[in-house]
Amino acid sequence: MDVSLTLWVLTIVGLGILIGADFFIGRKPHDVSIKEAGTWTIVWIVLAALFGLGLLAFGESQASGEFFAGYITEKSLSVDNLFVFVLIMAKFSVPSHLQQRVLLVGVLIALVLRAIFIAAGAAIIASFSWVFYIFGAFLIYTAWKLIQEARSDDEEEEFEENRLLKSVEKRFGVADRYHGTKLFIRNNGKRVLTPLMVVMLAIGTTDVLFALDSIPAIFGLTQDPYIVFTANAFALMGLRQLYFLIGGLLRKLVHLSYGLSVILGFIGVKLVLHALHESGVQVPEISIPVSLAVICGVLVITTITSLMASRKQEAAEAAEASKEAERDRKDSVDA
């Protein structure tokens, strides 16, 4: 897709206006209701759909298909990010009315950092086509790692601060409590960070770690930097509302890691086939419609099996609790 500088500028300005409107509407710290989160989640999804359909209307059918495939992939991978966001919020004991501000600024930091990643990835791909082999192998390895983690019996994870975050805290110091929406305060004449600023940095920088697999994944679906950037932008901008909407549902998505591993493995294979094709080897390439069908199919199946497994687990726990209560009652009667 041939994208002019003017279109790039208009797109960035348009996204900036949408982000500004979102920030203005939610500028006052408050507890986000399910209704509010649901409404804005739908708004962002509709805006993404309109953008993709707009590409189709302007005769860019391939770009439209690549956008939808990339958007759905990035959206599904971003849901996995929410598990870590929950851990971060819990570790720093973020007050509920400040969580939306944390997510908004954290996602903005992530968007800027991802834009840098995308630009670097596009430049590398343009210069070295063999990088597709590396991207493909990395995604297949990540898929295997996800399966291993999903099958492990480890208990609840804990968030560990990365080195960048630790160095920032050491350099500036951190206040002992939250001070509303303030990011810095004066403490004994010294300017220090508030916990709110630390959490925002944690959300933003942690997301970059997730970009290590999501950026190669979307480059496996399209090599167009414009599509890669817009798909990432729309997927990230609705992440804040999605956090509040499905926060309670996250624990029910017990098979999500398996679904994501299948998607990443599939895209990894697609990248390797593309790299072989570019090297002159006669191998079949996977089309965008097939990719879109596989991604959507895996997500639907994963969601259904997750909810069925969660319901079965809840029923088993309820039955066990009932038996325990009955035993306690009998013991009480005997006594």
Side-chain angles (χ1 to χ4, degrees):
M1 180 177 174
D2 187 20
V3 181
S4 65
L5 178 60
T6 302
L7 182 56
W8 268 107
V9 172
L10 289 175
T11 301
I12 294 173
V13 169
L15 291 173
I17 291 173
L18 292 174
I19 294 171
D22 190 13
F23 186 87
F24 179 78
I25 292 171
R27 67 190 183 281
K28 185 178 179 181
H30 66 282
D31 292 325
V32 178
S33 66
I34 295 296
K35 181 180 179 181
E36 179 185 347
T39 300
W40 276 102
T41 297
I42 293 172
V43 167
W44 284 115
I45 291 175
V46 169
L47 287 173
L50 289 175
F51 181 83
L53 292 174
L55 292 173
L56 183 63
F58 281 98
E60 298 289 346
S61 57
Q62 181 177 345
S64 177
E66 290 175 351
F67 171 80
F68 281 118
Y71 172 73
I72 293 171
T73 299
E74 292 299 311
K75 200 71 172 176
S76 60
L77 289 171
S78 68
V79 171
D80 203 35
N81 296 21
L82 297 183
F83 286 101
V84 178
F85 291 176
V86 169
L87 295 177
I88 293 174
M89 295 291 190
K91 178 178 177 62
F92 291 98
S93 302
V94 182
S96 58
H97 67 283
L98 292 177
Q99 289 184 7
Q100 62 149 347
R101 180 64 62 86
V102 168
L103 289 169
L104 178 61
V105 178
V107 167
L108 285 177
I109 294 172
L111 185 57
V112 172
L113 293 177
R114 283 202 184 201
I116 297 172
F117 268 56
I118 291 167
I124 292 172
I125 288 171
S127 303
F128 311 101
S129 60
W130 49 261
V131 79
F132 285 117
Y133 288 110
I134 298 176
F135 280 2
F138 177 73
L139 290 179
I140 293 171
Y141 168 73
T142 303
W144 172 249
K145 227 177 131 187
L146 272 176
I147 292 177
Q148 293 296 96
E149 290 173 0
R151 294 176 62 184
S152 68
D153 296 324
D154 292 344
E155 295 299 320
E156 183 106 4
E157 297 179 66
E158 287 188 12
F159 171 74
E160 293 185 8
E161 298 177 19
N162 55 55
R163 291 183 179 179
L164 174 62
L165 200 58
K166 289 180 179 179
S167 63
V168 170
E169 291 178 4
K170 185 177 180 180
R171 169 69 178 79
F172 293 97
V174 182
D176 58 355
R177 63 183 177 85
Y178 287 89
H179 292 264
T181 58
K182 291 182 179 179
L183 304 181
F184 296 91
I185 62 165
R186 287 282 178 182
N187 186 13
N188 296 326
K190 180 184 178 183
R191 198 182 190 201
V192 298
L193 303 172
T194 65
L196 186 67
M197 182 63 173
V198 176
V199 181
M200 289 177 177
L201 291 173
I203 294 287
T205 55
T206 300
D207 183 81
V208 173
L209 300 178
F210 287 96
L212 292 178
D213 55 38
S214 65
I215 297 300
I218 195 170
F219 270 117
L221 297 168
T222 175
Q223 285 81 60
D224 189 329
Y226 182 75
I227 300 300
V228 173
F229 173 74
T230 51
N232 265 274
F234 278 106
L236 280 177
M237 287 193 298
L239 194 58
R240 178 171 67 95
Q241 289 81 5
L242 198 62
Y243 171 87
F244 296 104
L245 182 64
I246 68 171
L249 184 62
L250 285 176
R251 295 182 183 277
K252 295 180 183 288
L253 299 177
V254 293
H255 295 160
L256 178 63
S257 291
Y258 291 106
L260 294 180
S261 68
V262 172
I263 291 172
L264 290 177
F266 168 77
I267 297 176
V269 171
K270 183 178 185 298
L271 272 171
V272 172
L273 290 175
H274 177 74
L276 289 170
H277 184 79
E278 290 292 308
S279 300
V281 181
Q282 295 300 314
V283 294
E285 285 205 87
I286 302 172
S287 67
I288 287 298
V290 171
S291 299
L292 192 54
V294 170
I295 292 166
C296 292
V298 169
L299 290 176
V300 170
I301 292 171
T302 299
T303 302
I304 292 173
T305 58
S306 292
L307 295 178
M308 289 174 62
S310 295
R311 190 175 300 172
K312 186 177 179 181
Q313 179 66 25
E314 288 172 1
E317 289 175 356
E320 183 62 31
S322 178
K323 289 179 181 178
E324 185 68 29
E326 182 63 22
R327 282 196 295 267
D328 291 343
R329 187 186 68 79
K330 286 183 179 180
D331 290 344
S332 177
V333 171
D334 291 342

